[in-house]
Amino acid sequence: LFCNDLYQKWRMNGQENLKQNKLTFVHNDLSLENIFVLGREKLFVLDFEGACYGDPAQDVGFFLAHLFLNYYHQPERKTRKAILLFWKAYLRALRFHNEILLEKNVVAHVIFSLERLLSSKECSLDELEKLRIRELVERKKGCGRVKEMVKG
């Protein structure tokens, strides 16, 4: 019940807070591992132990960072397409008045989150692969665009 209450609060306030650049409820560990889909209509978010109030772009950036890490490690067309479809749907649902500003903020969170993921003890990549991914991110870091982050 607690998680459902938190989720409903985010649904009511999260999108508006993002538009106004206010702090809002963030999951703080939003990734595919913490999303459970049941059928075509039900989606559950699990593991709220790190939830807090923060920058609303944080969850989007962390979620995308997981997808980017997968893409950078094994560049597959499906992952690139998933990233771009997610981003397009996110922007469409949000209808933000300044998409460029929002996107730069999200990309900053992606870069921060990628470093967090690469530095974690749970990261199974070897040091050479981590270095390759860090160099790739470093080259793309100034672009500020989600599309540019998944270009070869």
Side-chain angles (χ1 to χ4, degrees):
L1 185 64
F2 175 70
C3 292
N4 189 41
D5 290 343
L6 289 174
Y7 173 71
Q8 291 307 324
K9 189 171 185 176
W10 178 86
R11 289 264 315 185
M12 290 181 349
N13 300 321
Q15 291 182 345
E16 193 56 39
N17 288 348
L18 184 55
K19 289 178 184 178
Q20 296 174 17
N21 202 22
K22 292 181 180 176
L23 296 182
T24 191
F25 171 80
V26 293
H27 184 275
N28 213 19
D29 191 18
L30 192 61
S31 65
L32 293 175
E33 290 112 26
N34 289 326
I35 298 173
F36 180 72
V37 179
L38 184 61
R40 299 186 88 188
E41 299 294 321
K42 294 185 180 180
L43 181 129
F44 300 92
V45 178
L46 311 171
D47 187 15
F48 285 85
E49 68 187 36
C52 62
Y53 280 89
D55 182 345
Q58 185 174 333
D59 276 342
V60 179
F62 192 71
F63 181 78
L64 283 171
H66 274 272
L67 293 178
F68 279 120
L69 191 57
N70 184 26
Y71 174 72
Y72 291 152
H73 180 58
Q74 297 176 324
E76 296 176 15
R77 223 173 136 75
K78 288 181 186 176
T79 306
R80 181 182 190 280
K81 188 175 180 180
I83 291 168
L84 295 175
L85 284 172
F86 171 82
W87 183 245
K88 188 176 179 180
Y90 178 76
L91 289 176
R92 189 173 52 242
L94 193 61
R95 288 181 239 127
F96 192 69
H97 67 280
N98 190 340
E99 288 182 11
I100 294 170
L101 181 63
L102 171 67
E103 190 166 18
K104 286 182 183 227
N105 190 19
V106 168
V107 168
H109 280 287
V110 167
I111 292 166
F112 174 79
S113 297
L114 277 168
E115 183 54 41
R116 181 175 143 195
L117 291 168
L118 290 169
S119 300
S120 77
K121 293 177 185 173
E122 291 84 34
C123 184
S124 61
L125 301 176
D126 63 45
E127 292 305 313
L128 194 60
E129 183 67 6
K130 288 179 185 179
L131 180 63
R132 186 188 73 75
I133 291 171
R134 283 185 174 110
E135 287 173 352
L136 180 63
V137 170
E138 188 63 34
R139 284 196 311 269
K140 295 179 176 286
K141 161 161 134 171
C143 72
R145 304 298 304 236
V146 170
K147 240 187 236 187
E148 296 299 315
M149 296 283 291
V150 289
K151 278 190 175 176

